[in-house]
Amino acid sequence: MVDYLNESKVDFNQRMEWWRESRFGMFIHWGVYSIPAGIHKGKKVKSVGEWIQLQGQIPIADYEQYAKQFNPTEFDAEEWAKIMKMAGMKYLVITSKHHDGFALWDSKVSDYDIIDFAPYGKDILKSLAAACKTQDIKFGLYHSIMDWHHLQAQGISAPKYDYQKNPNPEFPKFVENYLKPQIKELVDNYDPDILWFDGEWIPDFTHEMGLDLYQFVRNLKPNIIVNNRVDKGRKGMAGMNRDDKRYAGDFGTPEQEILEGTSTMDWESCMTMNDTWGFKSYDDNWKSDEILIYNLIDIAAKGGNYLLNVGPTAEGLIPKPSIERLQKMGEWIEVNGEAIYSTQKLEKVFKQGEDIRFTKKKNKPHYYAIAFEKPQKELILQHLYPLEKSTIKLLGHQGKLDWTFDQNKGLIIQIPENISGEIAWTFKIEGKEI
Ligand code: FHN
């Protein structure tokens, strides 16, 4: 068996190439929890939507009643893929199975899935994988290691699902006879580009199991990309690896946060648009499109990816406020996308003050300075030195901009009057870093 845990840097870089270039992906948390949508027995349950089974202490048999109603007749895989495309997203990661254990595909090792247990009767992953292929969007699957439904896993302590105090001696059997066979089905049937594990923090799941699971997945599909939650390396919610030993996984997963600076490890910030991952009917705390675009730029400048979540409704619709924001992001990317895709962080700095971020095109002397404030008259950049006769442009604006270089002040770019654009203005400079 190939030792994927000791892959060469060259092979690793090659495998990660498309992912690094993509920068922006859609996360989808969708499942049975979209039916209660944050309310159980008439009461609002205090938690993110997808944790309602645990936080509401719902017995398995009662939660199964929700599963029996899962019938998302409005679901349209092609429409979802078009929304991703419109937003400028290059890949998708969808919950094949969240902590509640319900599978969105036709699993042969379980009946607790969309075909055998719910009235809908159509394989959601199958249609989404096909729609993503049509739109040239890479396809990723989120999969929870923790499982509140399976009695050899955390289902044993239902309805408290107390995975901390109640380890399950049967868990190794669950890993071998259920978790791994389900993963094999997913890889064999849907050919995912990414496997995105979660729920790895339960004491039942060990570092050794993590190393083995990573090897298992890479063996099934050698060029697949796997997040660090396949193992026990995650340093709290911060999501980057602890450095006490070597952990399996190809990238770090900061959750609901952006790294303060850059990292030598690949990373992806996963974030919600409101305060929940799975749909909650009463969560209206939406982030503005300015913030979402700011996050995308800030993350790109620091060398990371942005995995932005939507939580579709029980009917199968992506909430309208999410679509509106994605549209705004797509409009901004349409003009400025070249400063985001296939770019790298700079070697020395990622920002100038609080209002300017930098990125650089891979293998080209093309630098981008992205300003969050609309520049007036002139923009002074201290970290870039233009090539002789360098062309400097404002993306979305016709023609070249005048500039001079001053040894003390730096690169001074003249800003024409009445420049268009909103939220952030991107300057493209042929030059080098100083
Ligand atoms: O418990 C989950 C949560 O529901 C959600 O799926 C997020 C997404 O990264 N991950 C877990 C917590 O780390």
Side-chain angles (χ1 to χ4, degrees):
M1 192 158 96
V2 183
D3 181 6
Y4 291 107
L5 294 164
N6 286 302
E7 184 177 36
S8 74
K9 196 84 199 144
V10 173
D11 288 351
F12 177 66
N13 286 340
Q14 204 172 14
R15 189 163 55 86
M16 293 297 286
E17 198 172 332
W18 74 260
W19 186 90
R20 288 174 180 160
E21 289 178 355
S22 300
R23 286 286 182 247
F24 189 28
M26 179 180 275
F27 211 0
I28 300 185
H29 276 69
W30 196 35
V32 169
Y33 38 82
S34 63
I35 295 171
I39 300 176
H40 180 60
K41 291 196 171 157
K43 282 202 187 115
K44 289 184 179 175
V45 177
K46 261 200 182 160
S47 75
V48 277
E50 72 285 2
W51 273 70
I52 194 165
Q53 183 178 353
L54 183 142
Q55 296 295 355
Q57 303 207 334
I58 306 176
I60 290 177
D62 291 6
Y63 193 80
E64 283 179 347
Q65 293 313 307
Y66 286 124
K68 288 254 180 261
Q69 298 164 38
F70 195 37
N71 192 17
T73 49
E74 300 294 313
F75 168 59
D76 181 342
E78 277 150 33
E79 183 60 28
W80 285 16
K82 279 188 201 149
I83 293 172
M84 294 170 218
K85 193 84 182 176
M86 162 202 76
M89 290 162 147
K90 302 284 187 185
Y91 62 102
L92 163 69
V93 178
I94 178 160
T95 47
S96 46
K97 181 195 86 161
H98 203 266
H99 308 331
D100 66 1
F102 186 82
L104 287 194
W105 79 100
D106 184 13
S107 176
K108 299 297 174 221
V109 290
S110 169
D111 280 346
Y112 199 46
D113 68 41
I114 189 74
I115 301 289
D116 301 310
F117 210 88
Y120 186 59
K122 286 182 229 160
D123 188 323
I124 288 169
L125 298 189
K126 193 171 170 194
S127 50
L128 262 177
C132 284
K133 208 159 243 149
T134 309
Q135 294 290 347
D136 199 19
I137 288 169
K138 297 273 187 188
F139 186 63
L141 294 171
Y142 166 110
H143 201 80
S144 175
I145 293 167
M146 173 162 74
D147 191 311
W148 299 328
H149 186 262
H150 202 290
L151 296 178
Q152 288 180 317
Q154 288 64 49
I156 189 186
S157 54
K160 292 203 164 154
Y161 309 98
D162 198 340
Y163 47 84
Q164 294 292 356
K165 289 201 198 119
N166 222 344
N168 193 337
E170 300 274 287
F171 192 73
K173 288 188 197 150
F174 165 82
V175 172
E176 289 307 315
N177 302 330
Y178 195 82
L179 181 68
K180 282 161 85 173
Q182 282 208 327
I183 295 295
K184 181 162 164 41
E185 285 181 357
L186 290 173
V187 177
D188 288 351
N189 299 344
Y190 309 104
D191 194 29
D193 300 294
I194 305 169
L195 260 180
W196 210 104
F197 288 98
D198 201 5
E200 85 295 0
W201 62 83
I202 47 171
D204 285 320
F205 187 68
T206 63
H207 174 50
E208 288 65 38
M209 287 174 179
L211 296 178
D212 174 68
L213 189 56
Y214 183 82
Q215 283 278 39
F216 178 76
V217 173
R218 291 287 311 279
N219 235 322
L220 292 172
K221 181 168 174 174
N223 66 349
I224 200 166
I225 293 176
V226 185
N227 69 339
N228 66 340
R229 301 184 190 181
V230 66
D231 191 0
K232 305 286 281 190
R234 171 153 61 136
K235 205 188 311 173
M237 285 305 211
M240 302 303 277
N241 283 356
R242 300 199 302 266
D243 44 23
D244 56 335
K245 35 183 148 166
R246 275 185 70 194
Y247 293 96
D250 301 323
F251 62 92
T253 50
E255 178 166 322
Q256 299 290 35
E257 64 175 38
I258 297 172
L259 298 192
E260 297 217 329
T262 60
S263 169
T264 49
M265 187 180 180
D266 287 284
W267 60 280
E268 175 195 65
S269 274
C270 54
M271 298 177 107
T272 52
M273 281 196 201
N274 48 358
D275 293 329
T276 182
W277 301 92
F279 181 68
K280 255 171 96 175
S281 54
Y282 51 94
D283 184 338
D284 291 322
N285 194 22
W286 299 99
K287 295 175 185 79
S288 66
D289 31 69
E290 280 89 352
I291 289 187
L292 299 174
I293 291 170
Y294 170 92
N295 286 350
L296 175 70
I297 298 165
D298 190 38
I299 290 169
K302 293 170 181 169
N305 280 10
Y306 191 23
L307 186 64
L308 184 57
N309 185 72
V310 301
T313 64
E315 295 76 37
L317 298 172
I318 296 179
K320 209 163 156 244
S322 300
I323 298 180
E324 286 163 2
R325 283 157 180 78
L326 291 172
Q327 187 159 3
K328 275 277 179 193
M329 295 184 85
E331 283 165 15
W332 186 87
I333 288 174
E334 181 74 29
V335 176
N336 301 279
E338 68 164 280
I340 302 291
Y341 305 128
S342 304
T343 59
Q344 302 171 318
K345 58 183 189 263
L346 270 57
E347 277 173 23
K348 296 182 196 148
V349 290
F350 66 87
K351 64 174 185 176
Q352 176 180 308
E354 289 315 309
D355 291 337
I356 294 172
R357 295 287 182 280
F358 298 109
T359 60
K360 176 198 180 296
K361 217 39 157 194
K362 215 173 131 188
N363 305 324
K364 282 192 185 153
H366 293 167
Y367 288 79
Y368 300 92
I370 310 169
F372 296 127
E373 287 290 322
K374 188 173 189 171
Q376 310 287 346
K377 293 196 174 119
E378 54 183 36
L379 176 74
I380 303 180
L381 298 175
Q382 287 137 15
H383 304 284
L384 297 179
Y385 187 81
L387 300 180
E388 214 181 316
K389 297 202 183 125
S390 175
T391 301
I392 297 186
K393 283 184 174 168
L394 169 62
L395 298 188
H397 182 86
Q398 290 295 325
K400 301 177 197 171
L401 305 185
D402 293 332
W403 59 270
T404 50
F405 188 82
D406 180 286
Q407 289 302 337
N408 297 318
K409 286 187 180 165
L411 172 59
I412 305 169
I413 303 172
Q414 301 303 321
I415 311 294
E417 271 181 23
N418 303 324
I419 56 170
S420 59
E422 49 178 4
I423 301 176
W425 291 260
T426 304
F427 295 85
K428 180 179 181 182
I429 298 131
E430 293 173 320
K432 60 180 184 189
E433 243 187 292
I434 40 174

